[in-house]
């Protein structure tokens, strides 16, 4: 089972690689659900990490219905990721009625080639997941990151299993959100081939504003990642 670590910084990316993760999804602002990382961060990670790096392309927080201007930003970010050597991009666009914006998704699929393309958790906001996944399969999407329309993937596991059966081997469902040491083996037992988690912990940095004040920072934790991999290997 492939372990993808959602990393929110350069240090998180290095921690993921050193711990043995198979792939990185690079983003910023995990507390907002993730947004597109800076060009500088993308380049620094690409230059110093040898495992595949997928980059989240999401121009802002909030919903996944984008204006024409926002769509142009997404396209430019995809092109940049191709130019600097990213292995894939992770993005998703919806319509106001809760359906997939298939026309724009097709444009992004073509634009991303030959690198990989993942349709992200915008999928968890669709009104009809069965029809939506069939439509994404039809236009050529090969991977969807999803929590099964629930806040945590373990809560949506029945739908995730159902969706994987619908698309068969043509499309990979990658469970994500709330995946941890206590439940990761369940997803492997259910037959999923990929899994997504931040494996993060909060560290406290000294603040220079007040002598005894600290500032929390979230980073992907090497020990947690190693424990997850051990759990998968023993499952």
């Amino acid at each position: 089972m492939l372990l993808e670590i959602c990393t929110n910084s350069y240090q998180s990316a290095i921690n993921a690689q050193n711990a043995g993760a198979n792939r990185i999804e690079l983003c910023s602002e995990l507390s907002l659900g993730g947004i597109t990382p800076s060009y500088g961060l993308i380049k620094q990670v690409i230059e110093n990490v040898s495992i595949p790096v997928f980059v989240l392309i999401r121009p802002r927080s909030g919903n996944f219905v984008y204006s024409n201007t926002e769509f142009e930003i997404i396209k430019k970010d995809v092109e940049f990721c191709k130019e600097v050597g990213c292995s894939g991009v992770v993005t998703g666009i919806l319509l106001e009625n809760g359906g997939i914006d298939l026309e724009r998704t097709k444009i992004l699929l073509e634009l991303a080639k030959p690198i990989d393309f993942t349709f992200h958790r915008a999928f968890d906001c669709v009104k009809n997941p069965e029809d939506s996944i069939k439509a994404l399969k039809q236009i050529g999407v090969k991977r969807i990151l999803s929590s099964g329309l629930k806040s945590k993937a373990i809560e949506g596991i029945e739908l995730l299993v159902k969706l994987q059966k619908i698309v068969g081997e043509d499309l990979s469902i990658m469970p994500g959100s709330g995946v941890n040491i206590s439940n990761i083996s369940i997803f492997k037992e259910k037959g999923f081939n990929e899994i997504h988690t931040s494996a993060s912990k909060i560290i406290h940095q000294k603040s220079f504003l007040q002598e005894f004040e600290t500032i929390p920072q979230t980073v992907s934790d090497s020990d947690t990642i190693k424990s997850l991999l051990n759990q998968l290997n023993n499952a």
Side-chain angles (χ1 to χ4, degrees):
M1 190 180 205
L2 184 149
L3 178 63
E4 177 181 274
I5 300 297
C6 179
T7 61
N8 64 340
S9 65
Y10 176 75
Q11 188 60 57
S12 289
I14 294 298
N15 289 351
Q17 173 173 264
N18 291 346
N22 304 110
R23 188 171 68 216
I24 288 169
E25 183 203 62
L26 183 65
C27 70
S28 293
E29 300 296 343
L30 274 176
S31 62
L32 301 176
I35 59 174
T36 309
S38 71
Y39 282 13
L41 176 57
I42 295 170
K43 290 194 70 175
Q44 188 75 5
V45 170
I46 290 296
E47 291 170 1
N48 292 277
V49 170
S50 58
I51 61 176
V53 176
F54 287 9
V55 175
L56 175 69
I57 307 297
R58 185 186 179 202
R60 57 163 171 77
S61 59
N63 66 22
F64 303 99
V65 180
Y66 298 117
S67 67
N68 290 335
T69 301
E70 289 170 329
F71 184 54
E72 290 303 313
I73 293 171
I74 291 171
K75 291 195 292 183
K76 286 181 172 62
D77 285 337
V78 170
E79 290 174 334
F80 175 78
C81 288
K82 285 175 59 176
E83 291 170 3
V84 298
C86 297
S87 297
V89 291
V90 184
T91 192
I93 303 182
L94 302 182
L95 299 170
E96 290 186 359
N97 65 5
I100 304 289
D101 190 333
L102 293 172
E103 291 305 314
R104 282 175 162 180
T105 301
K106 284 191 286 186
I107 291 171
L108 295 178
L109 267 171
E110 289 301 315
L111 185 62
K113 289 179 179 178
I115 67 173
D116 217 321
F117 181 96
T118 301
F119 194 94
H120 67 31
R121 290 190 62 206
F123 186 84
D124 291 321
C125 298
V126 300
K127 288 187 176 180
N128 191 318
E130 290 88 352
D131 288 346
S132 294
I133 201 166
K134 290 175 183 176
L136 287 173
K137 174 184 174 180
Q138 188 173 18
I139 66 172
V141 171
K142 299 298 184 183
R143 181 184 300 101
I144 294 174
L145 172 63
S146 175
S147 60
L149 279 65
K150 301 290 186 179
S151 61
K152 304 297 182 184
I154 195 67
E155 299 168 1
I157 193 166
E158 289 186 9
L159 177 60
L160 292 171
V161 170
K162 179 180 180 181
L163 294 175
Q164 189 64 78
K165 288 180 179 179
I166 289 174
V167 295
E169 297 181 357
D170 295 327
L171 193 158
S172 175
I173 304 295
M174 180 168 60
S177 183
V179 175
N180 55 46
I181 191 69
S182 67
N183 60 33
I184 193 169
S185 61
I186 298 174
F187 295 98
K188 183 177 181 180
E189 291 167 3
K190 293 293 185 180
F192 295 101
N193 297 317
E194 303 174 279
I195 197 78
H196 172 99
T197 180
S198 65
S200 59
K201 72 174 183 179
I202 296 176
I203 61 175
H204 294 274
Q205 297 181 324
K206 182 178 179 180
S207 170
F208 295 100
L209 299 177
Q210 296 184 26
E211 183 177 358
F212 299 106
E213 185 181 59
T214 60
I215 301 173
Q217 179 188 6
T218 302
V219 296
S220 297
D221 179 54
S222 295
D223 289 338
T224 302
I225 296 168
K226 290 177 182 177
S227 296
L228 290 168
L229 289 168
N230 286 335
Q231 187 75 7
L232 288 176
N233 290 334
N234 294 327

